[in-house]
């Protein structure tokens, strides 16, 4: 009996750390697809006083684009899961939003297997851009220099944990960068880059592009429902853009932001 109790105690103490580790691993896997912020190098040219002015100013709302203004649906949203940035909600204020989808270079051999694969990939991604353009005005840009939002067939940049370990690769990722224009007064805006791992194919490529584009358009969070395109995990049968996705997008664009507004007093 004593041996049995000792074994039970040993087994119990061995199992508890394993259970905790499993839970932590599960949480990490869930959170990995969340979009990442790029370093805010663009604002470094502002002095401390001007940066204080930027973050001290009141955020304001922009008029809704007509496509969202016309949208009406009563099936709910997950707006509470959307995270605002230090400068307010991540919304676009100039339309149409210019979107670049990676293409072969002009001097490339278009008949090569690599470029044929890239062109087929781009066709799928452009269809996803067209899906979202029903709710926000989007327009394909010919070059990345002309774009506000760029979509790349590349592995997302590697990240390290706080202990320096390389984290597991992600299927896709969205990153934003804040930009200060040279207008007088300057205007705060942003650009986005979406990276989609080349291993994503078929319906999973379509789902990854649709999900990440939702982040880049302003839904900086995840849905708790698997029927939504912004669900936090990949599912076997990826859903299209849902009414809840669009309801959430509309609520985001009804919120105040400092993006798209002049920085008064800085000239």
């Amino acid at each position: 009996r004593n041996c049995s109790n000792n074994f039970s105690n040993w087994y119990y103490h061995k199992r508890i750390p394993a259970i905790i580790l499993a839970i932590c691993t599960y949480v990490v896997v869930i959170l990995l697809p969340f979009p990442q912020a790029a370093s805010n190098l663009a604002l470094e040219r502002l002095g401390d006083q001007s940066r204080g002015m930027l973050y001290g100013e009141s955020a304001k709302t922009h008029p809704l684009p007509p496509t969202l203004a016309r949208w009406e649906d009563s099936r709910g949203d997950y707006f509470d899961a959307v995270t605002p940035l230090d400068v307010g909600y991540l919304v676009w204020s100039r339309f149409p939003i210019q979107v670049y989808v990676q293409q072969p270079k002009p001097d490339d051999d278009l008949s090569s297997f690599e470029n044929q694969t890239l062109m087929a990939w781009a066709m799928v991604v452009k269809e996803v851009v067209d899906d979202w353009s029903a709710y926000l005005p989007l327009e394909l840009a010919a070059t990345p220099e002309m774009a506000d939002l760029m979509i790349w067939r590349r592995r997302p940049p590697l990240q390290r944990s706080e202990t320096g370990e390389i984290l597991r690769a992600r299927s896709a990722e969205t990153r934003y960068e804040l930009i200060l224009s040279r207008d007088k007064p300057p205007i705060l805006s942003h650009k986005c880059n979406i990276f989609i791992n080349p291993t994503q194919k078929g319906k999973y490529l379509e789902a990854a592009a649709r999900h990440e584009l939702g982040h880049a358009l302003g839904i900086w969070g995840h849905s708790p429902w698997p029927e939504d395109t912004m669900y936090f995990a990949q599912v076997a049968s990826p859903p299209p853009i849902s009414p809840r996705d669009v309801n959430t997008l509309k609520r985001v664009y009804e919120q105040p932001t400092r993006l798209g507004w002049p920085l008064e007093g800085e000239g």
Side-chain angles (χ1 to χ4, degrees):
R1 185 168 136 185
N2 287 339
C3 288
S4 176
N5 287 341
N6 289 339
F7 177 80
S8 298
N9 290 336
W10 174 85
Y11 183 79
Y12 175 80
H13 289 297
K14 285 289 185 181
R15 289 290 292 168
I16 290 300
I19 293 171
I20 293 173
L21 178 60
I23 292 173
C24 291
T25 302
Y26 179 66
V27 172
V28 169
V29 170
I30 287 177
L31 296 183
L32 277 178
F34 199 78
Q36 302 291 323
S39 58
N40 186 10
L41 300 177
L43 298 185
E44 288 186 357
R45 67 185 179 91
L46 284 178
D48 291 339
Q49 181 177 357
S50 297
R51 280 199 295 270
M53 184 190 309
L54 166 65
Y55 292 110
E57 284 185 346
S58 297
K60 296 179 283 187
T61 57
H62 291 283
L64 281 175
T67 43
L68 280 184
R70 291 192 297 266
W71 173 264
E72 295 291 341
D73 188 276
S74 59
R75 280 172 277 187
D77 59 63
Y78 46 89
F79 175 73
D80 290 345
V82 177
T83 304
L85 312 176
D86 290 342
V87 294
Y89 285 84
L90 192 73
V91 304
W92 301 90
S93 56
R94 293 185 302 173
F95 300 102
I97 302 166
Q98 298 294 312
V99 181
Y100 173 75
V101 178
Q102 185 178 351
Q103 303 286 328
K105 296 177 182 177
D107 54 349
D108 283 355
D109 176 10
L110 299 183
S111 64
S112 70
F113 176 78
E114 182 179 349
N115 282 329
Q116 290 289 323
T117 302
L118 178 56
M119 288 189 289
W121 175 92
M123 286 182 63
V124 174
V125 175
K126 287 177 181 179
E127 289 177 1
V128 170
V129 173
D130 191 54
D131 289 344
W132 276 111
S133 67
Y135 312 106
L136 275 181
L138 307 177
E139 184 175 272
L140 292 173
T143 66
E145 292 76 19
M146 299 168 60
D148 306 305
L149 194 164
M150 291 141 283
I151 308 176
W152 306 98
R153 186 177 179 266
R154 300 177 187 168
R155 293 180 183 276
L158 292 176
Q159 291 186 337
R160 294 182 179 272
S161 67
E162 293 180 358
T163 59
E165 297 177 10
I166 296 177
L167 298 175
R168 61 175 288 183
R170 295 168 302 283
S171 60
E173 183 181 272
T174 299
R175 294 190 171 207
Y176 73 83
E177 179 183 3
L178 298 179
I179 296 169
L180 203 60
S181 76
R182 299 187 180 278
D183 299 286
K184 295 184 180 296
I187 296 172
L188 182 66
S189 61
H190 70 296
K191 284 183 178 286
C192 281
N193 281 282
I194 294 174
F195 302 95
I196 301 177
N197 198 313
T199 59
Q200 296 296 292
K201 297 176 182 177
K203 63 182 180 180
Y204 296 112
L205 164 59
E206 185 179 348
R210 188 181 296 117
H211 182 99
E212 296 304 320
L213 193 50
H215 284 319
L217 295 180
I219 304 178
W220 208 245
H222 290 112
S223 166
W225 291 287
E227 299 83 10
D228 299 335
T229 201
M230 299 307 294
Y231 184 56
F232 64 80
Q234 199 170 69
V235 296
S237 299
I241 300 166
S242 73
R244 262 195 306 261
D245 291 320
V246 185
N247 287 342
T248 303
L249 187 69
K250 182 172 182 176
R251 288 199 61 185
V252 167
Y253 276 76
E254 292 172 337
Q255 306 308 310
T257 184
R258 295 180 182 88
L259 293 171
W261 297 106
L263 181 59
E264 298 296 342
E266 175 69 22

